[in-house]
Amino acid sequence: MNALSSKDNASRRSAEIRAAVHDSPDELEDETGIEILPILNLLLRERYRILKPTAWVVLLALAYAMIQPPVYTATTKFLTAAASGSAIALPSAGSTAGGDAGSIVDTMPEYYEALVRSDDFLKLVVNDEAAKSKAGVTSNWLGVPGGIPIRDWIQPDDAVIALRGALAIASVKATQPRSPFVLSTTMELSATLSERKAAEALANAVLDSLSKYGGLHRNEKAIRNRDFIQSRLQDTEAELKRAEAALAEFSMRNRKIATPDIEAQKERLERAVKVQEEVFLTLRKQLEMAKIKVQENQALIQIIEHPEARKTGPKRARMVALPSLLALLFFGTLAYVRDRWRQLDQSDEDIQELMGNLQGIRSDLYRLAMRTRAIPVKAWRLANQGFGRLRKPN
């Protein structure tokens, strides 16, 4: 009996639920959310009003995309290596002038990223291009017509701004260190311009300037040492020549005379010549070693991939698709709002007040437009009156 009564109760509840569903479909629709079918019918009914302005937007976006100039990006990869105590490393917080190997290793990628974005480095790139142009050899990545000096075509500050927007650099990866004091970092440099050859030329120019700028800082101590040794070598050579000339002159004057004083003087002159010869030979060896040191530090970067430009823009499909989608959504929403507005009760007091406010806004805009149009006319009349007064004879 209990099982039978439970079954009857379940059957009754199911029948009540079905009756409630069939008796109040509007309540069920309210609980389920947005009515999809009426909105779909509305969009299909207003399809011409939606698609016509959307088509105009598509055509305008397509025309704009077609007139955009091409964009080429030249990408190159190079390998850097920092040695302990190198002058080009950016010291970390709390490090001394020499810096330890860890701080130098940690700051190498950041150094190049900051260097390419710095004004001093970009001015160096522009000045190198100006020097090439003056010498008759130019890559013309600045877009300067032939025969015109770069400074007459574009200001250095404007060129720096253009370069900063065209260049991008980032570290790709850091390879396994070959020693506790050396870490190689692969950097990727890209130059973006509107011409393929100009982009490749700009990338090559930046690579050359990186080697030159970094080499100057890296070799600063070695170059000072080389210049000092070279200066001392010139002085020593002059002193050696004077000592040899003094010894030769003394020997010529005293060929037939042999006294203890003369022999002692001759030995002193010979010792002076030998000392100058030893100093000269030592300086010659040190000069060669200094030149080798400078040359070793010249190879600051090693190019892995030479610049090769590829077309990266404009992305016409994206330039057309995005405005088209936004226009479709906008005009579809406008059609929906217009339809909902028509369904409102126009005799309602709130609707009447809203219509009055909208009409007032429209009148205010009209008056503002008329006043704006009247300003040039009034200014013209006042100017004519002023000129007329000036023309009147005294």
Side-chain angles (χ1 to χ4, degrees):
M1 292 294 292
N2 293 333
L4 184 59
S5 61
S6 299
K7 186 175 182 181
D8 292 339
N9 292 333
S11 300
R12 257 194 320 273
R13 282 196 299 270
S14 299
E16 291 175 357
I17 293 174
R18 286 195 297 271
V21 170
H22 290 292
D23 292 341
S24 58
D26 295 337
E27 295 179 1
L28 182 63
E29 288 179 357
D30 292 339
E31 292 177 359
T32 56
I34 301 175
E35 300 176 0
I36 302 299
L37 189 59
I39 295 178
L40 182 60
N41 289 330
L42 170 65
L43 295 178
L44 294 177
R45 186 172 61 251
E46 301 288 336
R47 59 186 180 275
Y48 292 110
R49 291 185 177 181
I50 297 174
L51 294 179
K52 281 184 179 179
T54 303
W56 280 107
V57 173
V58 172
L59 292 176
L60 291 175
L62 182 61
Y64 176 78
M66 295 303 295
I67 63 175
Q68 294 303 305
V71 177
Y72 294 94
T73 301
T75 305
T76 179
K77 292 181 180 179
F78 59 92
L79 191 68
T80 66
S84 175
S86 173
I88 65 169
L90 296 178
S92 59
S95 63
T96 57
D100 56 356
S103 63
I104 294 170
V105 166
D106 293 339
T107 55
M108 278 304 297
E110 289 78 5
Y111 168 78
Y112 283 98
E113 292 174 3
L115 180 61
V116 172
R117 295 183 179 91
S118 65
D119 291 342
D120 293 339
F121 175 77
L122 296 178
K123 288 179 182 179
L124 176 67
V125 178
V126 175
N127 292 334
D128 288 346
E129 185 67 15
K132 293 178 183 178
S133 177
K134 187 175 182 180
V137 179
T138 177
S139 56
N140 203 20
W141 51 264
L142 285 174
V144 182
I148 298 179
I150 288 180
R151 295 186 178 275
D152 294 344
W153 176 259
I154 185 171
Q155 295 297 323
D157 294 339
D158 296 335
V160 167
I161 295 174
L163 280 181
R164 186 177 288 109
L167 295 176
I169 188 171
S171 60
V172 179
K173 62 180 180 178
T175 59
Q176 196 69 21
R178 295 187 296 268
S179 71
F181 303 102
V182 178
L183 178 66
S184 298
T185 304
T186 302
M187 306 292 295
E188 184 177 77
L189 174 70
S190 60
T192 303
L193 291 175
S194 59
E195 296 183 3
R196 184 188 301 272
K197 293 183 178 179
E200 293 177 352
L202 176 57
N204 285 318
V206 174
L207 289 176
D208 294 340
S209 297
L210 279 174
S211 298
K212 179 179 179 181
Y213 190 89
L216 289 175
H217 284 263
R218 188 186 182 101
N219 282 331
E220 186 174 358
K221 183 177 180 180
I223 291 175
R224 288 201 306 265
N225 188 30
R226 182 199 61 186
D227 294 341
F228 173 75
I229 294 174
Q230 194 166 7
S231 175
R232 284 292 300 127
L233 182 64
Q234 293 175 356
D235 296 340
T236 303
E237 186 177 7
E239 292 175 0
L240 177 60
K241 290 181 179 180
R242 286 195 295 270
E244 291 176 342
L247 177 60
E249 183 180 358
F250 182 82
S251 299
M252 182 66 66
R253 287 200 313 264
N254 300 282
R255 284 185 302 176
K256 299 179 180 180
I257 302 174
T259 63
D261 294 336
I262 293 176
E263 291 295 334
Q265 181 66 20
K266 184 177 180 181
E267 289 177 0
R268 283 194 295 270
L269 292 175
E270 289 176 350
R271 283 196 302 269
V273 171
K274 288 180 180 180
V275 169
Q276 294 300 327
E277 285 179 351
E278 291 178 358
V279 174
F280 180 79
L281 293 175
T282 302
L283 290 175
R284 283 292 300 268
K285 292 178 182 180
Q286 291 181 353
L287 180 61
E288 294 300 325
M289 294 177 64
K291 290 180 178 180
I292 293 173
K293 184 66 175 179
V294 171
Q295 189 63 30
E296 286 178 352
N297 291 337
Q298 288 294 335
L300 184 65
I301 62 175
Q302 180 181 357
I303 299 175
I304 300 176
E305 295 180 5
H306 289 278
E308 183 176 357
R310 69 182 189 280
K311 190 174 181 180
T312 57
K315 301 184 182 299
R316 294 188 172 90
R318 184 184 301 175
M319 296 173 67
V320 175
L322 184 59
S324 303
L325 180 60
L326 293 177
L328 189 62
L329 292 175
F330 174 76
F331 292 113
T333 305
L334 189 62
Y336 176 77
V337 171
R338 188 188 299 114
D339 182 74
R340 299 293 295 180
W341 179 263
R342 291 173 181 172
Q343 296 178 8
L344 295 176
D345 186 6
Q346 302 295 327
S347 61
D348 187 44
E349 293 182 0
D350 293 335
I351 299 297
Q352 293 292 334
E353 183 180 358
L354 178 61
M355 293 295 293
N357 292 331
L358 293 177
Q359 188 65 29
I361 294 174
R362 181 180 179 183
S363 301
D364 293 340
L365 293 176
Y366 179 77
R367 286 194 297 269
L368 180 61
M370 295 302 296
R371 290 178 180 177
T372 305
R373 291 177 57 185
I375 290 176
V377 177
K378 291 182 180 179
W380 178 257
R381 289 176 180 175
L382 292 175
N384 285 335
Q385 292 177 2
F387 282 119
R389 293 173 182 174
L390 292 175
R391 291 177 180 176
K392 288 182 180 180
N394 293 329

